[in-house]
Amino acid sequence: MVSKSTAWASLLALFGTAPIVQALTLNVATGGGNASSPILYGLLFEDVYHSGDGGLYSELIQNRAFQGTTVNQNSDGSAEPPFQTLQYWHTSGSDTLTLDNEAPLLTDALPWHMRVDVAEGATGNTGFWNEGYWGMNITTATRYAANFYLRGNYNGKILCAFWSNTTNSMLGSTTFTVSQTEANGWVPYAQTFTVTTSAPDEKNTFHLDFDGASTAGTSLRFQMISVFQQTYKNSNNGLRIDLAEAVNEIGGKYLRMPGGNNMEGLSAPYLWKWNETIGPIINRPGRPGTWGYVNTDGLGLLEMMQWCLDMGLETILAVWDGLYLDNTILSEADLQPYVDDTLNELEFLLGPSTSTYGALRASLGYPDPFTINYVEIGNEDFLHNGIPTYIDYRFNMFYDAIKNVYPDMNIISSIWVGYFTTPPPVKVIQDLHDYLSVDDMVSKFGGYDHADRNYPVLVGEYAAIYDAEHVNPNQLDNPTLQSATSEAVYFLGLERNADLIVGISHGALIKSLHDEVDNVAMMKHTPNAIVRSMSYYVAKLFATNYGTETVAITGDTAYGPLYWAGTKNDEGTYFIKIVNYDGAASTPVTVVIPGKTNDATLITLTAPDLYSTNTLGDIQSVWTETTVAGSSEGYSFTLQGNYINAVLVA
Ligand SMILES: *[C@@H]1O[C@H](CO)[C@@H](O)[C@H](O)[C@H]1NC(C)=O
Ligand SMILES: *[C@@H]1O[C@H](CO)[C@@H](O)[C@H](O)[C@H]1NC(C)=O
Ligand SMILES: *[C@@H]1O[C@H](CO)[C@@H](O)[C@H](O)[C@H]1NC(C)=O
Ligand SMILES: *[C@@H]1O[C@H](CO)[C@@H](O)[C@H](O)[C@H]1NC(C)=O
């Protein structure tokens, strides 16, 4: 392990003294730009490291429907049935908990339930509790919804309550009155409630208790034991409010979903199946996800579409194209049913409510078709030996089938078009992922300047993951000021080529801080906190200050260590972006925009040190907004910091 100062000193020794630029003058053209992609800055969502389950999805209970846990996982991370367990559940009284599948089942999708055997001679309250996803956020500021299904003979009360581990006290509760027999089968219970005390921290549990004396020596059966926090925009089965607001704040314009590797599946048959993620949650079986846990699929296709509607996001829908992550690739003959299934999925999303699948959508509360303009065929098919079959038949089978029904659909190839032996039709978009070192990120600034305009580019995933201290395969565990600033330089290269670039999205929108400390993400969450990383703030700065048309800018120095690009919008507001990547600590800048003399706002983002990071309780990024007076000589200001990201909004 090299110390930061040593590594930095050796880097300087390699390259000599960092280049210093004393001052910069930028002359901005007022016309003649190119239309920029209206969705340049976007978002990728897949359930990775509990971004969905235990994260954005507002469910508090872990293993709520016994769909599987990691307990029976193989050492390579894959899971074989049976992976259902009672992990995260604990008895709190004299009862014993057993995983059972005795008929009648609640639904075929959920074959296992929890049987609670109450001891002979039990007295007082007895029951069980759940750990949540590393605890739970319990506060008086929100409403909770408790739901469960019960089978068995019971006349009495059921008490549902949150408890604090730290204070060992009850925070709030709700009581259900139950009167049922085994002959009633599965009976649903649902109540909303608030708590009387906010928890001091995240170490909280959910308890369900009933009367021991009247159930002694008998069994009760529970299924789909669910507790929701109030959701974003009060959507049914929706998103955690604080995380959703943080996502919205980035200002992204599209959602690429449902993956990513999580769509592809570790091995057969565990691809992401759209039709098993819709409808009542008791009809969703869940599946072993790609990232070390079983997905509930509660945050399913329609929840993601609702998310797009709620935040005004364009949808980039990825569809499974015959490749599993264990290198299993379907033959042409075996692939056809999956092509048909993709057309069913598109009919479900886009078809009139009179069509078979459109009617299914309407029955689930969405009579109007959604709008989808982008479909991506697969994900990263350049890996797992995917290229030969992708260019031979897989891409074409999906392309032809989709275009046949939806001729205007924009189709995205998950591989670089240069890999094709016969070039794909022009206007096919190529999704190029860039997980790079900070130096390579910066060196891509001019990478698209002379690219072939026939094949637009989506950077569906990016992140700076290596630096002087973190060399492949030792990734950065958190974006630094330097790594985020290298991403900003990369963004400038895309803005300058906005006629070619469709969009860009970070490879990891959200991760659980408890699940994954050692990998970069835009945000990491705990049950009651969010850490917005340096990359988050750079993306927000760029996405929320972006026009509809590029503007040509002439600088009086060559690019590097200062980089710039600009756009303007229909109202005549200019967004001039300047990044100092390892230049002078103090740089006077003058920006001249002919005819512009109104006062402008200068937004800057920097931090004390190139290795500064944002961590829980220690936010190092500094976001400032100052007014720059307009004058006929232009806008003059000084940028402070070797690494600084700035936008002049004029
Ligand atoms: C517009 O795009 C062309 C390439 O298609 C490029 O040469 C030119 O610099 C762009 N102009 C601006 C202002 O971005
Ligand atoms: C609460 O404490 C119990 C032990 O009494 C422990 O098993 C559990 O994980 C704790 N839960 C949380 C959320 O800290
Ligand atoms: C989902 O679609 C697949 C492929 O068409 C089909 O085999 C399966 O039965 C469907 N599942 C459900 C729950 O409808
Ligand atoms: C989580 O807890 C914090 C602090 O207790 C609170 O401010 C926040 O609103 C809570 N978040 C949600 C989604 O309820």
Side-chain angles (χ1 to χ4, degrees):
M1 179 90 186
V2 200
S3 80
K4 283 174 186 168
S5 49
T6 320
W8 189 234
S10 57
L11 200 71
L12 285 179
L14 264 181
F15 294 105
T17 332
I20 304 290
V21 170
Q22 298 301 344
L24 175 69
T25 299
L26 300 178
N27 283 293
V28 179
T30 54
N34 302 311
S36 52
S37 169
I39 58 166
L40 184 67
Y41 294 100
L43 309 166
L44 158 69
F45 176 75
E46 66 171 320
D47 207 326
V48 50
Y49 299 117
H50 291 93
S51 56
D53 284 333
L56 199 50
Y57 186 49
S58 204
E59 175 66 76
L60 295 178
I61 304 297
Q62 185 158 207
N63 198 15
R64 67 182 180 185
F66 317 103
Q67 290 160 294
T69 65
T70 53
V71 170
N72 293 338
Q73 222 173 29
N74 300 325
S75 54
D76 69 355
S78 63
E80 310 275 353
F83 32 75
Q84 288 85 0
T85 72
L86 290 178
Q87 198 180 5
Y88 312 112
W89 293 100
H90 306 273
T91 176
S92 57
S94 55
D95 48 54
T96 53
L97 311 179
T98 306
L99 192 67
D100 200 348
N101 63 353
E102 187 204 271
L105 303 179
L106 176 59
T107 58
D108 291 342
L110 300 175
W112 296 92
H113 60 262
M114 183 164 70
R115 191 185 79 228
V116 185
D117 299 326
V118 185
E120 296 284 353
T123 56
N125 273 348
T126 192
F128 50 85
W129 59 275
N130 186 275
E131 296 173 24
Y133 291 92
W134 296 276
M136 301 173 185
N137 191 28
I138 307 303
T139 134
T140 56
T142 183
R143 194 175 66 225
Y144 296 89
N147 290 265
F148 59 88
Y149 289 81
L150 174 65
R151 201 182 111 195
N153 301 311
Y154 185 49
N155 274 297
K157 307 275 189 214
I158 286 183
L159 180 75
C160 290
F162 292 120
W163 279 75
S164 161
N165 262 22
T166 301
T167 63
N168 194 29
S169 61
M170 194 190 283
L171 301 164
S173 67
T174 186
T175 302
F176 293 83
T177 302
V178 175
S179 174
Q180 69 173 76
T181 68
E182 179 71 30
N184 296 127
W186 289 99
V187 181
Y189 293 88
Q191 256 172 44
T192 56
F193 65 109
T194 53
V195 301
T196 47
T197 313
S198 289
D201 55 35
E202 65 188 20
K203 293 180 183 132
N204 308 301
T205 55
F206 176 77
H207 291 239
L208 190 152
D209 285 303
F210 49 89
D211 180 47
S214 64
T215 53
T218 72
S219 301
L220 294 179
R221 295 162 192 274
F222 289 86
Q223 179 54 293
M224 190 52 85
I225 309 155
S226 162
V227 183
F228 264 79
Q229 275 174 308
Q230 207 167 335
T231 59
Y232 185 63
K233 301 201 186 250
N234 286 316
S235 285
N236 178 37
N237 198 37
L239 307 182
R240 181 176 137 180
I241 293 173
D242 58 342
L243 266 177
E245 286 174 347
V247 168
N248 192 37
E249 187 187 317
I250 297 170
K253 291 286 189 279
Y254 70 80
L255 187 65
R256 175 174 172 253
M257 56 87 161
N261 293 150
N262 200 42
M263 177 193 69
E264 300 179 77
L266 285 177
S267 59
Y270 300 123
L271 70 154
W272 183 88
K273 298 177 186 134
W274 71 272
N275 63 348
E276 296 186 355
T277 74
I278 58 171
I281 53 176
I282 57 171
N283 290 338
R284 305 186 195 183
R287 63 180 261 271
T290 296
W291 297 100
Y293 53 98
V294 170
N295 293 180
T296 67
D297 285 332
L299 180 40
L301 180 57
L302 285 175
E303 286 77 18
M304 289 187 248
M305 294 309 299
Q306 183 63 47
W307 172 4
C308 291
L309 292 177
D310 285 345
M311 296 188 194
L313 303 173
E314 180 94 34
T315 303
I316 297 184
L317 180 72
V319 299
W320 192 78
D321 68 349
L323 180 147
Y324 289 104
L325 295 169
D326 67 354
N327 298 355
T328 303
I329 298 176
L330 300 195
S331 68
E332 197 166 344
D334 290 343
L335 191 56
Q336 190 56 46
Y338 295 88
V339 176
D340 299 342
D341 189 51
T342 288
L343 292 181
N344 293 344
E345 180 181 7
L346 290 174
E347 184 179 287
F348 176 75
L349 294 167
L350 304 174
S353 58
T354 48
S355 62
T356 306
Y357 289 98
L360 176 60
R361 180 196 66 238
S363 77
L364 298 175
Y366 293 88
D368 297 330
F370 297 101
T371 301
I372 294 182
N373 297 311
Y374 299 87
V375 173
E376 178 160 4
I377 299 172
N379 175 67
E380 294 184 343
D381 284 277
F382 52 91
L383 298 174
H384 308 285
N385 200 23
I387 294 175
T389 50
Y390 195 76
I391 64 176
D392 186 21
Y393 59 88
R394 292 193 292 127
F395 177 82
N396 286 335
M397 282 172 77
F398 284 88
Y399 182 93
D400 293 345
I402 296 168
K403 279 288 197 184
N404 186 34
V405 186
Y406 307 96
D408 295 333
M409 188 66 77
N410 296 294
I411 304 291
I412 303 169
S413 158
S414 81
I415 70 172
W416 175 49
V417 294
Y419 287 133
F420 283 80
T421 41
T422 305
V426 295
K427 297 303 168 206
V428 161
I429 299 165
Q430 36 185 351
D431 181 2
L432 307 178
H433 293 180
D434 270 330
Y435 291 102
L436 301 175
S437 70
V438 293
D439 291 345
D440 289 345
M441 215 77 202
V442 171
S443 74
K444 283 225 157 178
F445 171 74
Y448 291 111
D449 290 359
H450 306 291
D452 179 356
R453 263 41 198 175
N454 283 323
Y455 297 104
V457 171
L458 172 74
V459 183
E461 300 180 24
Y462 76 90
I465 56 172
Y466 305 118
D467 66 8
E469 290 195 349
H470 299 81
V471 179
N472 190 2
N474 170 29
Q475 299 188 13
L476 281 166
D477 53 16
N478 196 2
T480 62
L481 173 64
Q482 184 194 38
S483 74
T485 305
S486 78
E487 291 168 352
V489 175
Y490 186 99
F491 292 166
L492 290 175
L494 303 189
E495 288 204 8
R496 292 169 69 243
N497 287 280
D499 58 318
L500 175 75
I501 309 293
V502 176
I504 176 161
S505 33
H506 195 281
L509 177 62
I510 311 170
K511 289 176 182 172
S512 158
L513 187 61
H514 291 294
D515 192 8
E516 182 52 283
V517 272
D518 300 330
N519 249 311
V520 300
M522 291 182 102
M523 290 182 257
K524 289 195 181 172
H525 70 83
T526 68
N528 60 3
I530 302 171
V531 185
R532 292 163 170 82
S533 74
M534 295 280 171
S535 291
Y536 174 98
Y537 284 111
V538 164
K540 174 183 167 178
L541 177 67
F542 275 60
T544 55
N545 293 287
Y546 182 60
T548 50
E549 187 188 317
T550 59
V551 292
I553 302 177
T554 312
D556 64 347
T557 78
Y559 291 120
L562 297 169
Y563 300 86
W564 56 86
T567 52
K568 69 170 180 177
N569 67 17
D570 297 342
E571 288 87 54
T573 303
Y574 287 73
F575 305 93
I576 308 302
K577 293 175 179 164
I578 306 160
V579 174
N580 182 355
Y581 187 83
D582 192 22
S586 175
T587 308
V589 176
T590 302
V591 177
V592 181
I593 310 172
K596 272 267 165 191
T597 54
N598 57 294
D599 287 356
T601 302
L602 179 69
I603 312 171
T604 62
L605 177 66
T606 187
D609 180 81
L610 78 161
Y611 289 118
S612 296
T613 59
N614 288 344
T615 54
L616 196 58
D618 185 13
I619 300 303
Q620 299 268 321
S621 58
V622 183
W623 176 293
T624 58
E625 301 192 13
T626 51
T627 300
V628 179
S631 89
S632 52
E633 278 88 61
Y635 298 94
S636 293
F637 50 90
T638 300
L639 293 181
Q640 296 292 348
N642 312 92
Y643 290 84
I644 183 166
N645 307 278
V647 185
L648 184 77
V649 184

